[in-house]
Amino acid sequence: MAERERIFKYHGLGNDFVVLDRRQTGVDIDAETSRWMCDRRRGIGADGVLSLLPSKAGVARMVVHNADGSIAEMCGNGLRCAVKYLADHADGRPERLNVETGAGVLSCVPGYKADGVAEVDISMGPARLVAPNLPSGATGQPFLDAPVPGHPGLRGFAVSMGNPHLVLLDRPLEEAERLGPTLEVHPAFKDRTNVEFVRVDPDGLTVVVWERGCGLTQACGTGACASATAAVLAQRLPADAWLRVTLPGGDLQIRVPPDLSDIRLRGPVAFVFEGVVRAPPGR
Ligand SMILES: N[C@H](CCC[C@H](N)C(=O)O)C(=O)O
């Protein structure tokens, strides 16, 4: 890490991130640096670090570093934060920004207010029923409303938004803290998984997420998309309608087409502060 570096802090419904613009150097941080940056006592404090690197396919390539130093394929709240940074530092007011991610090049529409971008609408790409890092299950069927091996009474959907999610419908939300850590490392998910505990309401969902590499977070964009996908597949909520997904940090709006081809995520984003960090010795 450079001796002194500008950093930018953002959050999406309290799911907070450090943004590092590394498009000039093209050099990413290592796991130890992302753990230090996310440390809420000895570092800056965040759920993750978003490195923006050069990209031929979009305005930047976003790399998502979890608080434990692991790298995630995709992050919905993080992408909203990155888009706010990119739009607020762009010439003029770009109407659309394409950002390269581990889930493909995603198209993002910034929503401007007087003091900059306040909301971002993202085409998140397809929800895949069998997470790319998940075997399709003994019967060859996707892990779709199936018993969770080794957990009698638990049924789940394995939905990938580029990153893996195990969605448990109709589970007590308070189970997240007790069951989340065990299910995060379930052997069916060779790269671990995010775990969603979902209550289906008459007009939307209420969700608590135990995130891979972070633990309980205030909100999870890809988790909201995976949860809405499972609820539509279970015919508990309608396809092709904006669905309210309430998380501890607030509401996101998700829209799921019947063919799951392009999940839409819409939600707020906020700037927290800009600063300069001097990496601690040894980094
Ligand atoms: N912890 C997640 C990455 C962040 C996802 C979440 N913060 C979001 O908004 O989608 C994972 O390892 O897949």
Side-chain angles (χ1 to χ4, degrees), residues 15-91:
N15 188 205
D16 59 338
F17 299 92
V18 174
V19 173
L20 291 179
D21 191 342
R22 292 286 183 91
R23 288 176 292 174
Q24 296 304 318
T25 65
V27 175
D28 199 356
I29 56 174
D30 61 13
E32 188 187 0
T33 301
S34 61
R35 281 191 293 269
W36 165 68
M37 284 191 159
C38 294
D39 188 319
R40 296 191 186 280
R41 296 237 183 309
R42 300 167 191 267
I44 300 164
D47 288 331
V49 181
L50 308 168
S51 297
L52 300 179
L53 300 173
S55 168
K56 291 189 172 54
V59 67
R61 178 165 71 88
M62 178 181 80
V63 176
V64 181
H65 298 267
N66 282 320
D68 71 351
S70 61
I71 288 183
E73 304 84 347
M74 177 50 195
C75 176
N77 286 325
L79 184 50
R80 292 207 312 282
C81 294
V83 166
K84 175 168 174 61
Y85 167 82
L86 292 163
D88 285 352
H89 291 81
D91 297 333

Side-chain angles (χ1 to χ4, degrees), residues 55 57-62 73-76 79-80 83 86 96-109 120-126 128 161-162 222 225 261-263 265:
S55 168
V59 67
R61 178 165 71 88
M62 178 181 80
E73 304 84 347
M74 177 50 195
C75 176
L79 184 50
R80 292 207 312 282
V83 166
L86 292 163
R96 183 178 296 276
L97 291 167
N98 292 333
V99 179
E100 185 181 349
T101 74
V105 178
L106 301 182
S107 174
C108 308
V109 176
V120 181
D121 186 329
I122 305 173
S123 295
M124 294 285 282
R128 290 165 285 277
M161 293 304 300
T222 50
C225 293
S261 57
D262 183 18
I263 311 295
L265 161 63

Side-chain angles (χ1 to χ4, degrees), residues 169 227-240 243 256-258 260:
L169 298 180
S227 300
T229 297
V232 167
L233 284 170
Q235 299 182 331
R236 305 282 293 280
L237 289 175
D240 275 347
L243 304 174
V256 179
L260 312 185

Side-chain angles (χ1 to χ4, degrees), residues 1 5 24 49 51 80 87 92 102 112-113 131 190 192 203-204 215-217 220-221 225 250-251 256 274-275 279:
M1 182 172 176
E5 178 158 20
Q24 296 304 318
V49 181
S51 297
R80 292 207 312 282
Y112 294 94
K113 290 270 172 62
K190 71 178 175 57
R192 301 185 292 164
D203 63 340
L216 286 179
T217 59
C220 178
C225 293
D251 290 1
V256 179
E274 172 180 349

Side-chain angles (χ1 to χ4, degrees), residues 152-171:
L154 272 193
R155 299 183 66 85
F157 292 71
V159 181
S160 169
M161 293 304 300
N163 59 346
H165 294 270
L166 172 59
V167 180
L168 307 171
L169 298 180
D170 307 319
R171 294 306 305 178

